[in-house]
């Protein structure tokens, strides 16, 4: 059948679904623009006219409101919600977003949001409210911007057993670390550059301290392991302590430093799981690993599952235009369900697997020491590792330039030790004891090694 033989569908024959947009910032204005300009296509794909009935903003003087002239800009979000079939929350933050979303759900509207912080802190309240009201709550844009990772895990991998997810889920920190690595910038200069280019906020705390990535880790862990994990249960370290010396030491060993979000099952050794661990921290990634070549503000997420094996999702994890793709995709899905009188997948938390502390996680580590360069030092260091059952994989020693005048007992050396897989608790005990050795002048750095 040629295209011209297809039956023409007039938009006037289609039902109308009323969309309320809460927030008209970087993402909200792009979503508004798509709804205003792509009406024909969205109607044809959905089977309904998606009518943007209004935009709730903090001030009617917002520049995007003046530039794009959306219909019915208002500061009365509650009034707008009461008229909508689908409410799109793109205000961010906990309140008043939470109250507005609950109000929308209560009155029977489907809700689409990109609010990772809210979902990671109060997800269950919202999921339960949506289930009780029989409405959709979709949040594709909350993790990985344009990347369809939420649907990938929630829908496409629903028949599989996901064992681990590892990824770069924060574009700002990836940009900063990339600039420190490739342009040799200091941390603060790289952050300033990210701010000038619009990647980093004026207050970059949420990104550089790992809060944004931790919210996304909590959401991914909940979806992947069919349980509830909140941001408070995610081990979080940001990138503020990463120095140019760390970056250089990484490069010497054939690694690059990335801020990773990792969520994984904790096996009991007999085929069952005793819980899950969710962690966000800088890590060494080997240069030949695909995550090492994720540059700039891009995101990439690896999933590992029993039947599918490894999958990699890659793309733009931030920015108004890419993120609007995920939001409008959710609006179309919610609209289709509404027309069919159905809802999409709700919360799945049947396993009840508990979030466990990072102490039970197993991974590899790189420990950098400044030691006295004299007989027996390497043996005493190795003894400490052995005492805590941590197996050494690689040792590298380089001479350390001695400051003049130097009144120490002997010359110094840099010792870099990479371990085999070890328990986090054992590694921590090892590091504590290494610090007590006479021959160890300083523990210069400890970093996890992933993707090996
Ligand atoms: N600030 C985030 C990032 C985007 O830099 O990736 C929104 O989550």
């Amino acid at each position: 059948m040629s295209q011209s033989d297809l039956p023409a569908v007039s938009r006037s024959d289609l039902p109308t679904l009323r969309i309320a947009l809460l927030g008209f910032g970087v993402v909200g204005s792009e979503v508004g623009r798509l709804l205003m300009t792509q009406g024909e296509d969205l109607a044809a794909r959905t089977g309904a006219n998606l009518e943007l009935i209004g935009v709730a903003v903090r001030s009617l003087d917002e520049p995007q409101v003046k530039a794009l002239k959306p219909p019915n800009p208002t500061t009365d979000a509650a009034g707008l919600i009461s008229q909508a079939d689908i409410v799109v929350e793109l205000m961010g933050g906990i309140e008043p977003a939470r109250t507005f979303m609950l109000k929308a759900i209560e009155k029977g509207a489907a809700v689409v949001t990109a609010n990772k912080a809210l979902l990671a802190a109060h997800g269950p309240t919202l999921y339960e409210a949506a289930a009780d009201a029989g409405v959709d709550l979709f949040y594709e844009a909350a993790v990985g911007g344009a990347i369809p990772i939420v649907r990938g895990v929630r829908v496409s991998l629903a028949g599989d057993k996901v064992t681990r997810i590892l990824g770069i889920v924060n574009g700002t920190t990836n940009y900063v670390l990339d600039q420190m690595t490739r342009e040799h910038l200091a941390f603060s200069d790289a952050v300033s550059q990210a701010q000038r280019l619009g990647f980093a906020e004026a207050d970059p705390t949420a990104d550089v301290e790992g809060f944004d990535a931790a919210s996304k880790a909590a959401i991914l862990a909940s979806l992947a392991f069919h349980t509830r994990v909140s941001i408070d249960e995610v081990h979080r370290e940001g990138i503020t302590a990463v120095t140019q010396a760390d970056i250089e030491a990484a490069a010497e060993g054939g690694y690059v430093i990335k801020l990773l979000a990792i969520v994984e099952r904790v096996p009991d050794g007999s085929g069952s799981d005793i819980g899950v661990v969710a962690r966000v921290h800088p890590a060494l990634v080997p240069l030949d690993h695909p995550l090492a070549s994720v540059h700039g503000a891009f995101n990439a997420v690896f999933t590992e599952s029993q039947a599918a094996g490894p999958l990699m999702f890659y793309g733009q994890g931030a920015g108004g235009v890419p993120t609007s793709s995920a939001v409008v995709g959710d609006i179309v899905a919610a609209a289709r369900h509404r027309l069919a009188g159905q809802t999409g997948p709700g919360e799945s938390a049947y396993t009840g697997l508990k979030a466990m502390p990072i102490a039970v996680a197993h991974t590899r580590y790189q420990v950098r020491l400044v030691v006295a360069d004299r007989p027996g030092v390497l043996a005493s260091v190795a003894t400490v590792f052995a005492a805590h059952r941590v197996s050494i994989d690689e040792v590298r020693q380089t001479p350390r330039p001695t400051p003049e005048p130097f009144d120490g007992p002997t010359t110094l050396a840099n010792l870099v030790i990479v371990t085999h897989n070890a328990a986090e608790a054992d590694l921590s005990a090892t590091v504590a004891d290494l610090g007590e050795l006479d021959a160890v002048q300083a523990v210069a750095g400890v970093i996890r090694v992933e993707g090996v």
Side-chain angles (χ1 to χ4, degrees):
M1 189 156 95
S2 74
Q3 200 167 1
S4 58
D5 298 329
L6 290 169
V9 178
S10 162
R11 285 185 70 183
S12 58
D13 295 337
L14 297 178
T16 293
L17 291 173
R18 294 158 301 172
I19 318 286
L21 195 46
L22 313 184
F24 208 63
V26 175
V27 179
S29 58
E30 282 304 324
V31 170
R33 198 180 57 75
L34 282 179
L35 291 173
M36 290 188 287
T37 57
Q38 307 294 314
E40 288 281 337
D41 284 327
L42 293 174
R45 292 173 200 167
T46 312
N49 292 303
L50 302 182
E51 185 195 354
L52 180 61
I53 58 165
V55 173
V57 288
R58 266 199 220 104
S59 154
L60 300 180
D61 294 330
E62 285 180 14
Q64 269 113 329
V65 173
K66 293 200 158 155
L68 289 177
K69 301 189 175 31
N72 304 319
T74 176
T75 53
D76 176 16
L80 189 60
I81 289 167
S82 65
Q83 304 162 47
D85 299 303
I86 301 175
V87 172
V88 184
E89 185 278 313
L90 297 168
M91 316 165 77
I94 304 297
E95 286 295 351
R98 177 174 172 274
T99 300
F100 289 150
M101 282 168 68
L102 287 171
K103 181 177 167 57
I105 289 168
E106 196 181 299
K107 75 150 288 280
V111 170
V112 172
T113 182
N115 196 329
K116 67 228 65 162
L118 178 55
L119 293 170
H122 299 285
T125 307
L126 295 161
Y127 306 140
E128 281 172 14
D132 289 348
V135 298
D136 280 330
L137 170 60
F138 287 160
Y139 47 90
E140 183 60 66
V143 185
I147 304 171
I149 183 67
V150 169
R151 196 164 272 108
V153 177
R154 196 184 202 189
V155 177
S156 308
L157 291 172
D160 207 341
K161 180 175 179 180
V162 179
T163 50
R164 191 166 192 251
I165 298 181
L166 167 145
I168 296 168
V169 294
N170 183 268
T172 302
T173 46
N174 200 56
Y175 178 83
V176 168
L177 292 173
D178 203 34
Q179 288 296 302
M180 290 174 75
T181 304
R182 300 210 288 179
E183 304 297 331
H184 311 289
L185 294 189
F187 171 76
S188 55
D189 293 338
V191 172
S192 303
Q193 188 161 313
Q195 286 168 323
R196 274 198 302 281
L197 292 171
F199 296 134
E201 307 277 341
D203 176 359
T205 309
D207 292 318
V208 298
E209 295 289 4
F211 289 102
D212 177 80
S215 292
K216 293 166 180 171
I219 293 170
L220 287 176
S222 304
L223 289 171
F225 307 132
H226 302 270
T227 189
R228 289 181 170 179
V229 177
S230 81
I231 185 168
D232 299 336
E233 296 167 316
V234 179
H235 173 86
R236 177 187 54 77
E237 296 167 37
I239 63 163
T240 51
V242 178
T243 63
Q244 200 41 247
D246 296 325
I247 301 267
E248 282 162 21
E252 279 164 21
Y255 299 102
V256 64
I257 299 182
K258 295 289 186 188
L259 182 74
L260 297 185
I262 300 169
V263 302
E264 57 203 348
R265 294 174 182 268
V266 181
D268 69 356
S270 63
S272 299
D273 301 308
I274 51 171
V276 302
V277 168
R279 50 191 171 106
V280 167
H281 52 72
L284 295 182
V285 175
L287 282 169
D288 60 1
H289 190 280
L291 284 181
S293 37
V294 175
H295 297 299
F298 273 75
N299 283 193
V301 183
F302 262 88
T303 63
E304 293 169 13
S305 47
Q306 271 184 351
L311 300 171
M312 183 169 171
F313 301 73
Y314 171 81
Q316 299 189 69
V321 177
T323 307
S324 69
S325 163
V327 175
V328 177
D330 275 351
I331 295 172
V332 168
R336 286 173 174 158
H337 293 153
R338 211 162 178 87
L339 292 180
Q342 301 167 346
T343 53
E347 185 192 24
S348 170
Y350 74 95
T351 67
L353 284 169
K354 295 274 178 261
M356 303 184 78
I358 193 169
V360 303
H362 281 67
T363 188
R364 293 157 60 99
Y365 301 82
Q366 186 201 69
V367 180
R368 287 191 294 127
L369 304 173
V370 180
V371 296
D373 193 2
R374 60 169 192 252
V377 169
L378 196 52
S380 64
V381 166
T383 302
V384 173
F385 279 83
H388 294 287
R389 302 167 300 280
V390 178
S391 176
I392 293 173
D393 180 39
E394 186 190 333
V395 177
R396 243 178 22 249
Q397 180 174 325
T398 51
R400 186 177 175 87
T402 307
E404 294 292 345
F406 180 62
D407 59 1
T410 179
T411 52
L412 299 174
N414 293 313
L415 201 55
V416 179
I417 297 166
V418 180
T419 74
H420 285 294
N421 228 28
E424 177 90 13
D426 292 339
L427 193 279
S428 300
T430 305
V431 171
D433 284 0
L434 286 171
E436 300 296 313
L437 286 185
D438 280 347
V440 173
Q441 196 182 72
V443 178
V446 180
I447 186 163
R448 300 173 189 89
V449 184
E450 304 289 345
V452 178

PDB file of all heavy atoms in Angstrom, residues 339-353:
ATOM      1  N   LEU A 339      -6.269   6.429  26.112  1.00  0.00           N
ATOM      2  CA  LEU A 339      -7.269   6.146  25.066  1.00  0.00           C
ATOM      3  C   LEU A 339      -7.738   4.695  25.151  1.00  0.00           C
ATOM      4  O   LEU A 339      -8.895   4.386  24.895  1.00  0.00           O
ATOM      5  CB  LEU A 339      -6.673   6.387  23.679  1.00  0.00           C
ATOM      6  CG  LEU A 339      -6.345   7.835  23.329  1.00  0.00           C
ATOM      7  CD1 LEU A 339      -5.778   7.910  21.929  1.00  0.00           C
ATOM      8  CD2 LEU A 339      -7.588   8.720  23.448  1.00  0.00           C
ATOM      9  N   ALA A 340      -6.797   3.807  25.506  1.00  0.00           N
ATOM     10  CA  ALA A 340      -7.133   2.376  25.571  1.00  0.00           C
ATOM     11  C   ALA A 340      -7.762   2.008  26.911  1.00  0.00           C
ATOM     12  O   ALA A 340      -8.121   0.842  27.133  1.00  0.00           O
ATOM     13  CB  ALA A 340      -5.874   1.549  25.341  1.00  0.00           C
ATOM     14  N   GLY A 341      -7.874   2.971  27.823  1.00  0.00           N
ATOM     15  CA  GLY A 341      -8.441   2.688  29.150  1.00  0.00           C
ATOM     16  C   GLY A 341      -7.536   1.795  29.980  1.00  0.00           C
ATOM     17  O   GLY A 341      -7.994   1.000  30.800  1.00  0.00           O
ATOM     18  N   GLN A 342      -6.229   1.895  29.741  1.00  0.00           N
ATOM     19  CA  GLN A 342      -5.273   1.037  30.468  1.00  0.00           C
ATOM     20  C   GLN A 342      -4.218   1.902  31.142  1.00  0.00           C
ATOM     21  O   GLN A 342      -4.162   3.110  30.916  1.00  0.00           O
ATOM     22  CB  GLN A 342      -4.528   0.132  29.467  1.00  0.00           C
ATOM     23  CG  GLN A 342      -5.410  -0.766  28.661  1.00  0.00           C
ATOM     24  CD  GLN A 342      -4.633  -1.387  27.499  1.00  0.00           C
ATOM     25  OE1 GLN A 342      -3.538  -0.949  27.162  1.00  0.00           O
ATOM     26  NE2 GLN A 342      -5.232  -2.400  26.898  1.00  0.00           N
ATOM     27  N   THR A 343      -3.361   1.231  31.888  1.00  0.00           N
ATOM     28  CA  THR A 343      -2.153   1.918  32.360  1.00  0.00           C
ATOM     29  C   THR A 343      -0.949   1.058  32.006  1.00  0.00           C
ATOM     30  O   THR A 343      -1.071  -0.150  31.788  1.00  0.00           O
ATOM     31  CB  THR A 343      -2.163   2.133  33.889  1.00  0.00           C
ATOM     32  OG1 THR A 343      -2.408   0.887  34.517  1.00  0.00           O
ATOM     33  CG2 THR A 343      -3.189   3.159  34.315  1.00  0.00           C
ATOM     34  N   GLY A 344       0.214   1.688  31.978  1.00  0.00           N
ATOM     35  CA  GLY A 344       1.466   0.970  31.721  1.00  0.00           C
ATOM     36  C   GLY A 344       1.968   0.334  32.998  1.00  0.00           C
ATOM     37  O   GLY A 344       1.249   0.281  34.009  1.00  0.00           O
ATOM     38  N   PRO A 345       3.212  -0.154  32.988  1.00  0.00           N
ATOM     39  CA  PRO A 345       3.726  -0.815  34.183  1.00  0.00           C
ATOM     40  C   PRO A 345       3.819   0.138  35.375  1.00  0.00           C
ATOM     41  O   PRO A 345       4.221   1.284  35.219  1.00  0.00           O
ATOM     42  CB  PRO A 345       5.119  -1.291  33.763  1.00  0.00           C
ATOM     43  CG  PRO A 345       5.463  -0.496  32.561  1.00  0.00           C
ATOM     44  CD  PRO A 345       4.184  -0.091  31.905  1.00  0.00           C
ATOM     45  N   GLY A 346       3.421  -0.359  36.538  1.00  0.00           N
ATOM     46  CA  GLY A 346       3.548   0.429  37.758  1.00  0.00           C
ATOM     47  C   GLY A 346       4.788  -0.008  38.510  1.00  0.00           C
ATOM     48  O   GLY A 346       5.687  -0.650  37.947  1.00  0.00           O
ATOM     49  N   GLU A 347       4.823   0.292  39.806  1.00  0.00           N
ATOM     50  CA  GLU A 347       5.975  -0.100  40.604  1.00  0.00           C
ATOM     51  C   GLU A 347       6.033  -1.618  40.751  1.00  0.00           C
ATOM     52  O   GLU A 347       4.994  -2.274  40.922  1.00  0.00           O
ATOM     53  CB  GLU A 347       5.903   0.527  42.005  1.00  0.00           C
ATOM     54  CG  GLU A 347       7.155   0.240  42.825  1.00  0.00           C
ATOM     55  CD  GLU A 347       7.010   0.592  44.301  1.00  0.00           C
ATOM     56  OE1 GLU A 347       5.868   0.622  44.800  1.00  0.00           O
ATOM     57  OE2 GLU A 347       8.039   0.817  44.952  1.00  0.00           O
ATOM     58  N   SER A 348       7.236  -2.179  40.667  1.00  0.00           N
ATOM     59  CA  SER A 348       7.430  -3.603  40.935  1.00  0.00           C
ATOM     60  C   SER A 348       8.470  -3.698  42.053  1.00  0.00           C
ATOM     61  O   SER A 348       9.637  -3.403  41.832  1.00  0.00           O
ATOM     62  CB  SER A 348       7.931  -4.311  39.668  1.00  0.00           C
ATOM     63  OG  SER A 348       8.343  -5.632  39.975  1.00  0.00           O
ATOM     64  N   ALA A 349       8.018  -4.059  43.259  1.00  0.00           N
ATOM     65  CA  ALA A 349       8.944  -4.085  44.409  1.00  0.00           C
ATOM     66  C   ALA A 349       8.808  -5.407  45.149  1.00  0.00           C
ATOM     67  O   ALA A 349       9.051  -5.487  46.351  1.00  0.00           O
ATOM     68  CB  ALA A 349       8.657  -2.911  45.336  1.00  0.00           C
ATOM     69  N   TYR A 350       8.445  -6.471  44.382  1.00  0.00           N
ATOM     70  CA  TYR A 350       8.082  -7.731  45.033  1.00  0.00           C
ATOM     71  C   TYR A 350       9.246  -8.456  45.693  1.00  0.00           C
ATOM     72  O   TYR A 350       9.045  -9.251  46.606  1.00  0.00           O
ATOM     73  CB  TYR A 350       7.396  -8.674  44.021  1.00  0.00           C
ATOM     74  CG  TYR A 350       8.365  -9.279  43.036  1.00  0.00           C
ATOM     75  CD1 TYR A 350       8.923 -10.539  43.256  1.00  0.00           C
ATOM     76  CD2 TYR A 350       8.745  -8.590  41.891  1.00  0.00           C
ATOM     77  CE1 TYR A 350       9.828 -11.087  42.368  1.00  0.00           C
ATOM     78  CE2 TYR A 350       9.647  -9.125  41.004  1.00  0.00           C
ATOM     79  CZ  TYR A 350      10.191 -10.373  41.239  1.00  0.00           C
ATOM     80  OH  TYR A 350      11.109 -10.904  40.370  1.00  0.00           O
ATOM     81  N   THR A 351      10.497  -8.183  45.240  1.00  0.00           N
ATOM     82  CA  THR A 351      11.605  -8.965  45.835  1.00  0.00           C
ATOM     83  C   THR A 351      11.910  -8.499  47.258  1.00  0.00           C
ATOM     84  O   THR A 351      12.403  -9.278  48.067  1.00  0.00           O
ATOM     85  CB  THR A 351      12.915  -8.850  45.023  1.00  0.00           C
ATOM     86  OG1 THR A 351      13.414  -7.511  45.112  1.00  0.00           O
ATOM     87  CG2 THR A 351      12.729  -9.245  43.572  1.00  0.00           C
ATOM     88  N   GLY A 352      11.648  -7.233  47.534  1.00  0.00           N
ATOM     89  CA  GLY A 352      11.934  -6.702  48.867  1.00  0.00           C
ATOM     90  C   GLY A 352      13.410  -6.765  49.233  1.00  0.00           C
ATOM     91  O   GLY A 352      13.753  -6.682  50.422  1.00  0.00           O
ATOM     92  N   LEU A 353      14.290  -6.907  48.231  1.00  0.00           N
ATOM     93  CA  LEU A 353      15.735  -6.978  48.549  1.00  0.00           C
ATOM     94  C   LEU A 353      16.171  -5.689  49.239  1.00  0.00           C
ATOM     95  O   LEU A 353      15.846  -4.598  48.796  1.00  0.00           O
ATOM     96  CB  LEU A 353      16.547  -7.189  47.262  1.00  0.00           C
ATOM     97  CG  LEU A 353      16.530  -8.597  46.676  1.00  0.00           C
ATOM     98  CD1 LEU A 353      17.135  -8.614  45.277  1.00  0.00           C
ATOM     99  CD2 LEU A 353      17.266  -9.574  47.597  1.00  0.00           C
TER     100      LEU A 353
END
